[in-house]
Amino acid sequence: MAKVYTSVQWEEMWKEGVHTGEITYDYDDVECVSIWQHPLKKGLFSETSLCPGLRIEIFNFENPEIHGCDSVDSNYRTVSLVFRSSGIWREQIFGVNEDACEQPGESYLFSFETGTREIEKFMAGRDINIRIRLEPQLLRLLSKGQEAYLPNLLKPFLETDKPPSFYQSLGKMTPAMQVALQQILQCPFQGIMRRTYLEAKTLELITLQFAQLFQDGTPYKQSVNLKKGDIERIYQARDILLQDITNPPSLIELARQVHLNDRKLKRGFHQLFGTTVFGYLHEHRLEKASQLLLEGRMNVAEVSYAVGFANRSYFAVAFRKKFGINPSDYQTMCQKKSA
């Protein structure tokens, strides 16, 4: 039978683990990281504060056996987004959802009152997931002027910090979510660049998850019916699009090359990748630009041209919008770090 620890027992185990060196931790004003080499679990947990009202938690553990924790939630009220890469996490959230079960490859959205009792059970095996905590005031700021586009499930936060509690499973993550998730888990930066990168990717995940919701708060479902052959052609179109990012084919030409009509290509591309055809290309160009700037073999103008931006000013604006920093400043920081 799985051992379930009380919050007091968990705290005692933590203190003992720190004393014996089986648990180490480091923290500053921005990030707290704990590393476990403990009989109960091995791996790390990090919590990073991003912009005001936003933080991200990363769990990456190997659990030798099933174990649990019975505690009362002490987090102040947030909207929580979960993206689970691997492992199963069962939760009994009293008064909200007493049979919640997070599955690998799926995402979840929930919010419940401070003081809610939870019994969390961690299954044996690899457990990798990301949790984003979004405070109500930031949610209102992000949706200001566009409140009609906020999922109905979250609209009560427009009026109060303490709406009714809820727990919503949103089903399978889109490929775009999976890419962003892996980029966060494999973040190549440290210090201020790490925080900037994580903030950009966290906001991207928030956007992708909210886009998955219908106005009534249920998972969004595309009406287009994709057969296996259609899916293969759309992936083929993606590959063609990325073969020459400086001179991509038009949408009509791309559809012709993969033997689809442009309407099915557009709608199918959005279903599989969570964005438009050229939105996907735009994101890929910026990711490629960040890699080239990091390598340092080209200046900003050369990188802009190499990834298909004819206008350097537009490139700088797009790069800053995605990464929160000008490309020239980004390159300078990367050079200083490698010096």
Side-chain angles (χ1 to χ4, degrees), residues 30 48-56 194-196 198-199 202:
V30 173
T48 308
S49 297
L50 305 173
C51 63
L54 184 66
R55 70 183 192 274
I56 183 172
R194 173 176 170 82
R195 186 182 185 189
T196 301
L198 290 179
E199 183 172 314
T202 297

Side-chain angles (χ1 to χ4, degrees), residues 168-186:
Q168 178 71 55
S169 171
L170 301 180
K172 293 294 184 182
M173 290 188 288
T174 66
M177 289 180 190
Q178 293 171 346
V179 169
L181 177 66
Q182 290 305 311
Q183 288 170 335
I184 288 174
L185 293 171
Q186 298 168 10

Side-chain angles (χ1 to χ4, degrees), residues 264-281:
K264 176 167 280 191
L265 176 62
K266 287 190 293 185
R267 298 181 69 182
F269 207 95
H270 200 286
Q271 180 170 329
L272 292 178
F273 301 111
T275 186
T276 64
V277 174
F278 289 100
Y280 188 95
L281 176 62

